[in-house]
Amino acid sequence: MTRSDEPTRLANVIMNLFRDQSVATKQVVADEGSTVDLIAGADAQDDCAVFRMSGDQELVVGSDYVRGPKFRLYEMGHLTEYDLGYYLAAANVSDIAAMGAHPIGLLSVVRYPADMSDETFESIMQGIKDACRRFRCPNIGGDIGSAERLILSATALGTCRRGGALFRSGAKPGDLVCVTAPTGFAGAAMEYLRAQRPDPAIDELHLATLLASWRRPSARVDEGIALAACGRVTSCQDTSDGLKATVECLAAASGVGITIFEDSVPLPEPVAAVAHHLRLDPLGLVFGDSVDFELAFTAPPDAVEQLRQEMALHAIGEVTDSGSAVMLGSNGELTSLPGKAWRHVPDQAGR
Amino acid sequence: MTRSDEPTRLANVIMNLFRDQSVATKQVVADEGSTVDLIAGADAQDDCAVFRMSGDQELVVGSDYVRGPKFRLYEMGHLTEYDLGYYLAAANVSDIAAMGAHPIGLLSVVRYPADMSDETFESIMQGIKDACRRFRCPNIGGDIGSAERLILSATALGTCRRGGALFRSGAKPGDLVCVTAPTGFAGAAMEYLRAQRPDPAIDELHLATLLASWRRPSARVDEGIALAACGRVTSCQDTSDGLKATVECLAAASGVGITIFEDSVPLPEPVAAVAHHLRLDPLGLVFGDSVDFELAFTAPPDAVEQLRQEMALHAIGEVTDSGSAVMLGSNGELTSLPGKAWRHVPDQAGR
């Protein structure tokens, strides 16, 4: 097992994985002729990456740290370091997708303990690279070096046409509330594997799908671009904080209410199977803190009909003029949204 | 002591520190009429920050993790959390300065343990904010949340005119090699305080200066902009890896040699005093892994004369056509550059 120093890893791993990146092809961002060219990427090994930009456009940029090696599923042996690298890139590109932007680059921060082998380091970088290729977002540099444990953070950049970025605010009463695909997979995977009470039927039929939500998460890049191109989407956010938190955030940011129709919420079979097996509320899994990276958005009903021609989507509710997010149950009763809210850890003072 | 959850910290600390940021004034970047407007910053609380960009320009972007709470001087009680926040911003903006770009925004990743108080969290963010103000680089968002210990990383963005970015490659034989100010302060501070052999004269005369290199590091933004505006600077890099590593990197990236003239290298009095007190080679401190955030650059002699009218600089050597970086000593002998090289930790396999 070899453990090279940082300059050697830059020379051997980074330069090998990312060679010739700085001669990227010209990317035309929008129909107004704006362009973005990467002229110095990871292989340039300079203080910064450099893009040459031309024309009117909007630059979107966001950073996400991921717990990575602190993921319970990693600690339990269900995720590899490659998976963590892949996840890091997907989670960051998802924020670009949620703004309706074309990804243009990812900066990755990968710090590692002194005893991490070159092979493990390379597998992390390969996971990042493969996810970047899938999401058409080149890894343009970042930071590598030592730390007392593996630390993963990144920044993704994207561009869209002037006025084209999708914000969380802007939902209007009468709009429909939609998601790009069913949610709850990541949360169900976590509940199922943490419980350590295997069900042969779930293992056979659903486990691969459940695990894929952690191993190969999808950033909805094409969908985000289509939503922005439509020109009538009024708000958008990814569901990485869970569907409940996302819907509540869209309502709060837009100053509107949202009514979710229980009967319209898709309940994926693997999620239903886990809920049944563990005697959990299936909608609690669908709305809870499941990190699925779908896009939740709002648009007028006729725009939603038009979008259905271009992409998969599920209309799950509508925007109202009252000030909160609620669910209209199959029984006709209004309740708050099911599931755990995002990271609302209780104040620990005095404990 | 209050320890609020993440949404509460977003609402109370972040929104209070960064309110009204998204109505930033228009920033004209270069004389060609290109513009950058921040239209969604930290206070927008969206998936990403958004800039509106117009015209031809180059976008530079880089990420740096900082050890922060693992700094020896923090562990020894010489740095506060405010200082770490300040350092994080300065270190990241320095990479923008080294490209000759105008800073336009900083994304900060601040993850903290569950037992960190609101007051400590706010002091970190205040340190970031104060550094950002000093370097005219608004903190436009990032990521906050929990981790098992304080983790600090960031990404800085900047713009410059088309063709204006300063790279590490490009030094030409005959160019002079310059630094914006003497180096060695940060390394000398580290050596002096780690040795725990106080010298009353150093404490009285120099300690404040030495500590300032860690507590209030300078990103050389104005100098970087002036170097780019000059139009004749052939290479540039910040000295955050130490002067020896920086000079060696400029030579390697440019495919040239560099001869440093020992007699031209500034030896600051506080660094000389520490070296004398601890019986260290003063030039080892000046060239070693001292993180000083000065700019090292190359330019033809007449351009250097012109730059002297606009900024402080020290010409310390010249570019040659041979392939390595060496020092011409006061005794007329050529040696390799003094000091420890950057992070060349030995391969630990087999130990």
Side-chain angles (χ1 to χ4, degrees), chain A residues 52 58-59 148-149 155, chain B residues 51-52 58 148-149 155:
Chain A
R52 185 158 287 169
E58 282 173 9
L59 171 73
E148 83 283 10
R149 64 135 170 120
T155 296
Chain B
F51 294 97
R52 185 158 288 168
E58 281 172 10
E148 84 284 9
R149 64 131 169 124
T155 296

Side-chain angles (χ1 to χ4, degrees), chain A residues 5-6 45-46 49 51-54 56-59 61 65 114 143 148-149 155 168 343-344, chain B residues 5-6 45-46 49 51-54 56-59 61 65 143 148-149 155 168 343-344 348:
Chain A
D5 64 8
E6 185 180 336
Q45 303 267 319
D46 218 296
F51 294 97
R52 185 158 287 169
M53 309 190 72
S54 172
D56 289 341
Q57 55 191 303
E58 282 173 9
L59 171 73
V61 55
Y65 168 93
D143 190 14
E148 83 283 10
R149 64 135 170 120
T155 296
R168 295 178 179 179
R343 296 172 193 159
H344 267 284
Chain B
D5 64 8
E6 184 180 336
Q45 302 268 316
D46 218 298
F51 294 97
R52 185 158 288 168
M53 310 190 73
S54 173
D56 289 340
Q57 55 192 305
E58 281 172 10
L59 172 71
V61 55
Y65 167 93
D143 191 13
E148 84 284 9
R149 64 131 169 124
T155 296
R168 294 178 180 181
R343 296 172 191 159
H344 266 282
Q348 295 177 323

Side-chain angles (χ1 to χ4, degrees), chain B:
Chain B
M1 186 164 69
T2 309
R3 301 184 186 92
S4 303
D5 64 8
E6 184 180 336
T8 307
R9 285 184 174 174
L10 277 172
N12 294 351
V13 179
I14 302 291
M15 289 305 283
N16 185 46
L17 284 175
F18 301 107
R19 71 174 64 256
D20 298 334
Q21 182 186 71
S22 299
V23 281
T25 52
K26 181 163 288 203
Q27 179 185 8
V28 177
V29 171
D31 52 1
E32 290 145 77
S34 62
T35 58
V36 179
D37 290 283
L38 180 64
I39 64 171
D43 55 340
Q45 302 268 316
D46 218 298
D47 292 281
C48 289
V50 183
F51 294 97
R52 185 158 288 168
M53 310 190 73
S54 173
D56 289 340
Q57 55 192 305
E58 281 172 10
L59 172 71
V60 307
V61 55
S63 294
D64 271 330
Y65 167 93
V66 305
R67 292 169 198 269
K70 300 287 178 183
F71 283 152
R72 269 304 287 282
L73 297 192
Y74 174 81
E75 293 173 332
M76 295 175 70
H78 297 297
L79 303 175
T80 65
E81 286 83 5
Y82 174 96
D83 297 335
L84 299 184
Y86 196 101
Y87 192 100
L88 174 68
N92 275 275
V93 174
S94 179
D95 284 330
I96 299 301
M99 305 301 289
H102 299 248
I104 61 171
L106 182 92
L107 293 160
S108 53
V109 173
V110 179
R111 308 291 299 219
Y112 41 80
D115 65 355
M116 179 181 282
S117 70
D118 284 5
E119 291 71 22
T120 302
F121 172 72
E122 182 162 357
S123 75
I124 297 168
M125 298 308 304
Q126 187 70 48
I128 294 172
K129 183 185 177 183
D130 288 350
C132 282
R133 180 181 296 139
R134 177 173 164 200
F135 304 124
R136 303 190 307 278
C137 182
N139 185 347
I140 58 173
D143 191 13
I144 68 167
S146 61
E148 84 284 9
R149 64 131 169 124
L150 177 61
I151 290 173
L152 297 171
S153 188
T155 296
L157 299 97
T159 55
C160 55
R161 67 175 170 76
R162 191 179 178 109
L166 303 175
F167 294 96
R168 294 178 180 181
S169 54
K172 297 274 182 302
D175 286 347
L176 296 181
V177 179
C178 306
V179 287
T180 46
T183 59
F185 292 96
M190 178 81 95
E191 294 288 350
Y192 179 67
L193 292 165
R194 284 175 66 177
Q196 302 200 39
R197 287 173 42 209
D199 173 331
I202 291 179
D203 284 354
E204 188 187 341
L205 293 173
H206 303 307
L207 186 54
T209 302
L210 292 168
L211 276 171
S213 67
W214 288 88
R215 292 179 176 166
R216 300 294 178 274
S218 258
R220 296 295 186 188
V221 171
D222 291 336
E223 291 81 353
I225 292 171
L227 294 178
C230 153
R232 300 190 58 209
V233 169
T234 52
S235 71
C236 185
Q237 180 177 348
D238 80 1
T239 65
S240 60
D241 292 328
L243 187 56
K244 171 188 174 78
T246 304
V247 169
E248 289 176 348
C249 185
L250 288 175
S254 301
V256 297
I258 286 178
T259 300
I260 299 293
F261 306 119
E262 180 180 348
D263 290 342
S264 302
V265 176
L267 175 59
E269 201 179 336
V271 176
V274 168
H276 180 77
H277 178 62
L278 299 179
R279 300 177 184 227
L280 297 170
D281 172 20
L283 283 178
L285 292 178
V286 165
F287 279 88
D289 55 356
S290 177
V291 186
D292 293 296
F293 303 114
E294 297 304 328
L295 300 182
F297 64 94
T298 58
D302 61 316
V304 170
E305 284 315 303
Q306 177 190 326
L307 283 165
R308 275 188 206 281
Q309 314 306 315
E310 300 172 40
M311 57 189 283
L313 65 83
H314 300 260
I316 61 170
E318 69 178 20
V319 180
T320 64
D321 51 13
S322 89
S324 70
V326 294
M327 185 168 77
L328 180 62
S330 310
N331 58 6
E333 287 184 11
L334 284 177
T335 61
S336 60
L337 299 181
K340 280 181 288 184
W342 160 62
R343 296 172 191 159
H344 266 282
V345 293
D347 186 336
Q348 295 177 323
R351 285 198 187 171

Side-chain angles (χ1 to χ4, degrees), chain A residues 4-19 42-43 45 112 118 121-122 144, chain B residues 342 344:
Chain A
S4 303
D5 64 8
E6 185 180 336
T8 307
R9 285 186 173 172
L10 276 172
N12 294 351
V13 179
I14 301 292
M15 289 304 283
N16 185 45
L17 283 175
F18 302 107
R19 72 174 64 254
D43 56 341
Q45 303 267 319
Y112 41 80
D118 284 6
F121 172 71
E122 182 160 0
I144 69 167
Chain B
W342 160 62
H344 266 282

Side-chain angles (χ1 to χ4, degrees), chain A residues 128-321:
Chain A
I128 294 173
K129 183 184 178 184
D130 289 350
C132 282
R133 181 182 294 139
R134 177 172 164 201
F135 305 124
R136 303 190 307 279
C137 182
N139 186 348
I140 58 172
D143 190 14
I144 69 167
S146 61
E148 83 283 10
R149 64 135 170 120
L150 177 60
I151 290 173
L152 297 171
S153 188
T155 296
L157 299 97
T159 54
C160 55
R161 66 175 172 76
R162 190 178 177 108
L166 303 176
F167 294 96
R168 295 178 179 179
S169 54
K172 297 276 183 301
D175 287 348
L176 295 181
V177 179
C178 306
V179 287
T180 47
T183 59
F185 293 95
M190 177 81 93
E191 294 288 350
Y192 179 66
L193 292 164
R194 282 175 68 177
Q196 303 201 39
R197 287 172 42 209
D199 173 330
I202 291 179
D203 283 355
E204 187 187 340
L205 294 173
H206 304 307
L207 186 55
T209 302
L210 291 168
L211 276 171
S213 67
W214 287 88
R215 291 179 177 166
R216 299 294 177 273
S218 257
R220 295 296 185 187
V221 171
D222 291 336
E223 290 82 353
I225 292 171
L227 294 179
C230 153
R232 300 190 58 208
V233 169
T234 51
S235 71
C236 186
Q237 181 176 348
D238 78 2
T239 65
S240 60
D241 293 328
L243 188 55
K244 172 189 175 77
T246 304
V247 169
E248 289 175 347
C249 185
L250 288 175
S254 301
V256 297
I258 286 178
T259 301
I260 299 293
F261 305 118
E262 180 179 347
D263 290 342
S264 302
V265 176
L267 176 59
E269 202 178 337
V271 176
V274 168
H276 180 76
H277 178 61
L278 299 179
R279 303 181 182 222
L280 297 169
D281 171 20
L283 285 178
L285 293 177
V286 165
F287 280 89
D289 55 355
S290 177
V291 185
D292 294 295
F293 303 115
E294 298 304 330
L295 300 182
F297 63 95
T298 58
D302 61 316
V304 170
E305 283 316 301
Q306 178 191 325
L307 284 164
R308 275 189 206 281
Q309 315 305 315
E310 299 172 41
M311 58 190 282
L313 64 85
H314 300 260
I316 61 170
E318 69 179 20
V319 180
T320 64
D321 51 14

